[in-house]
Amino acid sequence: MTGKFLKYGLGALIAGTVLTGAFAPAQAQEAQKKPNILFIVSDDTGYGDLGPYGGGAGRGMPTPSIDKLAAAGMTFFSFYAQPSCTPGRAAMQTGRIPNRSGMTTVAFQGQGGGLPAAEWTLASVLKRGGYHTYFTGKWHLGEADYALPNAQGYDEMKYCGLYHLNAYTYADPTWFPDMDPALRAMFQKVTKGALSGKAGGPVTEDFKINGQYVDTPVIDGKEGVVGIPFFDGYVEKAAIEFLDEAAQKPDEPFFINVNFMKVHQPNMPAPEFQLKSMSKSKYADSIVELDTRIGRIMDKLRETGMDRNTLVFYTTDNGAWQDVYPDAGYTPFRGTKGTVREGGNRVPAIAVWPGKIKPDTKNHEIIGGLDLMATFASVAGVPLPDKDREDKPIIFDSYDMTPVLTGSGPSPRKEWFYFTENELSPGAARVGNYKAVFNLRGDNGQETGGLAVDSNLGWKGAEKYVATVPQVYDLWQDPQERYDIFMNNYTERTWTMVTISDAIKTLMKTYVEYPPRKLQSESYSGPITITQYQRFQFMRDELGKEGFQITLPSGN
């Protein structure tokens, strides 16, 4: 029983994704066409912010457009991202665990680097199926020429933002008057504004971006400045213009990836949205703005009639960023962005596909941003490559979720692995409804019980290993990870580690055959010791010979 379960749950990880091509019946005329794909991503949006998740008007920030999406399609309640922006976006774009691509963090502006040229992206895979591909909004996967969207499979990028939102304030003396003038001059020189360009062509800077309420994209015929409050308006504009153009080419399927900066801190709502939420806070106003812009894009899709043959998928890049409260989203789960807790990784996601996805359906199976690669490839009829773009063997961590979307079968994914920046072995792992936590960040508060509210200890918190044994939680009965049931005074769940350990061992073996790429940016993870230095070769040899093992405790 256990062996069959593990073989089914982990097979696609090793052998590659099997594309089922499962589709529900549709009108003959539409069935002949490949579906368009509209993929919308917001930033740092909390699990509990939106109406379908108990947020919306109940939290002083109505989300009628997103409510309408949920009513028309499928809402996911166990959908997983990565714990921060760059790995979250890299996972969605590549269908690979971020430590495989080296995209666990991204460098400061001016330092170059980014998504390796050898990686496949959603766009470069869909291009193989004849799709016209388009990108607008936040990228956050590096600034080197080879790492930009127009070099990563997108036919065109428009108003591409390369950094997290705070980065555009660094060079602004009103934000940081204490900054050394020489450092400010450096940031002013190297920080790139909104970029546009076509594949194989030059890249132009449309305008600079700063942290002010200013909207002057052109000054005397030259590049001007657009402030943070207005940037998402340009992203919306680019998306709507693209849909108008796509409507003129009904025989050419398209893939458009729309990435809003909202609601990443600092939230500065556009003027027309200031004080428009019920709660009148900057964050709530920005949620209302995000919802409105998504609604306008959906209105345009319906107006053109293309909605009938378009798969729309909405999600966000990571969990709520509690470190910046009150300019932050809400999650009912423990933890925050930057941790392996559910609060950092479980995110909202909604899919709409007329004629294929039943309206107003809810799904609680384990699914994640990693699975968009195999799913989009499947609906486009494109097999996933077995070699990277430099003709070397590649593995995807992506499962085809079309059976889930169409209701024709269960989720093929049975496990999820949680990572923070420097981890090769996962900091936590979920198999079925059980989750084991090995490595914690930001957990200096109460560890169990009703006071488990480590809300302001994400990236700021210390990294630590829980003990010689992990914490174990039943995510069905205890989604807030309050009660460690590995061993306690009434029962124990040490047996859960049989399946969890086997899943991790299988994952670790893949690193031998498919070595991770060099990290694109590194964060401090403690001193390098003499012992660690001596272990490097030993660890590589052991992984190759023996694999990776987590021993079970021998007694109480």
Side-chain angles (χ1 to χ4, degrees):
M1 188 77 172
T2 301
K4 291 181 181 179
F5 170 79
L6 287 170
K7 182 178 180 181
Y8 181 61
L10 295 163
L13 180 67
I14 305 305
T17 304
V18 177
L19 304 181
T20 65
F23 300 101
Q27 294 180 353
Q29 184 178 5
E30 294 294 337
Q32 300 302 314
K33 300 178 183 179
K34 290 188 175 185
N36 305 310
I37 301 173
L38 167 57
F39 179 33
I40 302 174
V41 182
S42 60
D43 204 343
D44 287 6
T45 309
Y47 187 97
D49 291 341
L50 311 177
Y53 293 87
R59 293 198 50 245
M61 50 187 85
T63 56
S65 299
I66 293 174
D67 295 353
K68 188 174 181 179
L69 273 183
M74 179 177 288
T75 303
F76 299 92
F77 290 88
S78 291
F79 191 91
Y80 286 94
Q82 304 298 314
S84 60
C85 299
T86 290
R89 292 166 190 275
M92 290 188 285
Q93 288 289 339
T94 66
R96 284 157 48 82
I97 294 170
N99 62 27
R100 296 195 193 279
S101 62
M103 296 301 293
T104 61
T105 60
V106 73
F108 262 117
Q109 59 261 48
Q111 294 181 319
L115 188 63
E119 289 290 326
W120 290 99
T121 65
L122 296 172
S124 55
V125 167
L126 292 174
K127 283 291 294 177
R128 290 158 64 102
Y131 277 69
H132 182 64
T133 56
Y134 187 92
F135 183 94
T136 181
K138 180 177 177 177
W139 180 239
H140 208 193
L141 296 177
E143 63 180 7
D145 290 344
Y146 63 79
L148 299 182
N150 69 324
Q152 290 282 352
Y154 288 93
D155 292 316
E156 184 176 1
M157 64 179 183
K158 187 71 172 176
Y159 306 130
C160 175
L162 297 184
Y163 319 111
H164 60 83
L165 207 52
N166 312 75
Y168 295 103
T169 68
Y170 293 166
D172 191 332
T174 62
W175 280 76
F176 303 107
D178 58 329
M179 183 182 290
D180 181 272
L183 181 58
R184 179 179 297 115
M186 184 277 290
F187 278 125
Q188 289 172 339
K189 180 179 179 180
V190 303
T191 303
K192 299 176 183 178
L195 302 181
S196 295
K198 295 185 178 181
V203 174
T204 60
E205 189 174 49
D206 301 293
F207 47 75
K208 293 291 185 183
I209 305 171
N210 70 8
Q212 304 298 323
Y213 270 86
V214 57
D215 186 17
T216 54
V218 179
I219 301 176
D220 296 330
K222 298 180 181 180
E223 165 197 293
V225 180
V226 170
I228 286 171
F230 299 91
F231 182 75
D232 277 351
Y234 286 85
V235 176
E236 175 197 319
K237 176 175 177 286
I240 288 175
E241 288 176 351
F242 173 83
L243 293 176
D244 275 329
E245 293 172 4
Q248 306 305 312
K249 303 174 183 177
D251 296 326
E252 181 182 49
F254 67 76
F255 167 60
I256 176 174
N257 186 192
V258 181
N259 295 262
F260 289 110
M261 289 284 194
K262 295 290 188 305
V263 280
H264 192 290
Q265 181 267 351
N267 276 290
M268 302 173 69
E272 63 268 33
F273 295 100
Q274 286 182 295
L275 305 180
K276 290 299 190 294
S277 67
M278 296 159 62
S279 71
K280 313 301 182 190
S281 73
K282 290 182 178 180
Y283 186 86
D285 291 346
S286 296
I287 284 286
V288 171
E289 176 181 344
L290 171 68
D291 180 78
T292 301
R293 297 198 188 285
I294 290 174
R296 289 171 182 167
I297 292 172
M298 290 303 300
D299 287 345
K300 174 57 67 173
L301 188 69
R302 299 183 192 102
E303 175 190 314
T304 61
M306 295 186 296
D307 62 306
R308 294 189 295 272
N309 190 40
T310 298
L311 167 60
V312 179
F313 203 98
Y314 161 74
T315 189
T316 191
D317 54 358
N318 49 251
W321 191 5
Q322 298 295 282
D323 285 347
V324 295
Y325 182 86
D327 195 14
Y330 168 75
T331 175
F333 304 113
R334 183 176 182 178
T336 173
K337 174 181 177 178
T339 73
V340 297
R341 295 299 191 189
E342 294 297 285
N345 295 267
R346 205 186 296 200
V347 298
I350 300 170
V352 178
W353 195 6
K356 305 292 194 302
I357 297 175
K358 292 181 180 180
D360 197 25
T361 55
K362 297 173 176 59
N363 184 278
H364 294 271
E365 296 173 279
I366 303 173
I367 299 175
L370 284 168
D371 301 318
L372 297 176
M373 172 64 86
T375 303
F376 289 175
S378 176
V379 302
V382 182
L384 289 182
D386 58 5
K387 299 288 183 64
D388 68 15
R389 294 170 75 188
E390 293 179 350
D391 205 35
K392 296 179 181 178
I394 191 171
I395 187 174
F396 292 91
D397 303 286
S398 191
Y399 289 81
D400 176 16
M401 292 295 170
T402 52
V404 175
L405 299 180
T406 61
S408 62
S411 170
R413 178 180 286 286
K414 304 302 177 187
E415 77 287 315
W416 189 263
F417 302 110
Y418 307 70
F419 298 89
T420 52
E421 285 89 342
N422 200 37
E423 292 175 328
L424 193 61
S425 60
R430 175 181 179 177
V431 175
N433 56 302
Y434 289 106
K435 176 180 180 179
V437 180
F438 303 96
N439 186 22
L440 296 176
R441 170 174 283 174
D443 206 58
N444 294 334
Q446 289 287 334
E447 293 187 356
T448 59
L451 296 179
V453 291
D454 48 351
S455 61
N456 290 308
L457 293 167
W459 286 319
K460 299 175 184 177
E463 181 181 72
K464 66 177 182 179
Y465 286 84
V466 293
T468 56
V469 298
Q471 296 174 354
V472 172
Y473 300 96
D474 181 345
L475 293 181
W476 282 353
Q477 296 194 74
D478 179 27
Q480 291 179 309
E481 299 173 85
R482 296 188 297 170
Y483 305 105
D484 177 7
I485 57 173
F486 190 89
M487 288 182 177
N488 58 28
N489 65 352
Y490 71 95
T491 186
E492 66 175 67
R493 290 292 188 275
T494 55
W495 53 265
T496 61
M497 291 307 301
V498 175
T499 52
I500 293 174
S501 297
D502 196 66
I504 295 173
K505 181 178 180 180
T506 303
L507 167 71
M508 296 300 291
K509 284 182 178 179
T510 67
Y511 295 131
V512 178
E513 187 175 356
Y514 305 94
R517 303 191 197 278
K518 179 183 177 182
L519 290 178
Q520 294 302 298
S521 179
E522 296 186 29
S523 58
Y524 183 71
S525 57
I528 297 177
T529 65
I530 296 172
T531 304
Q532 289 171 333
Y533 177 81
Q534 293 172 341
R535 284 177 177 172
F536 286 160
Q537 186 60 50
F538 171 78
M539 290 184 67
R540 286 196 294 268
D541 292 342
E542 287 301 299
L543 276 174
K545 290 187 299 183
E546 302 294 336
F548 181 83
Q549 296 186 20
I550 301 174
T551 57
L552 294 176
S554 57
N556 293 333

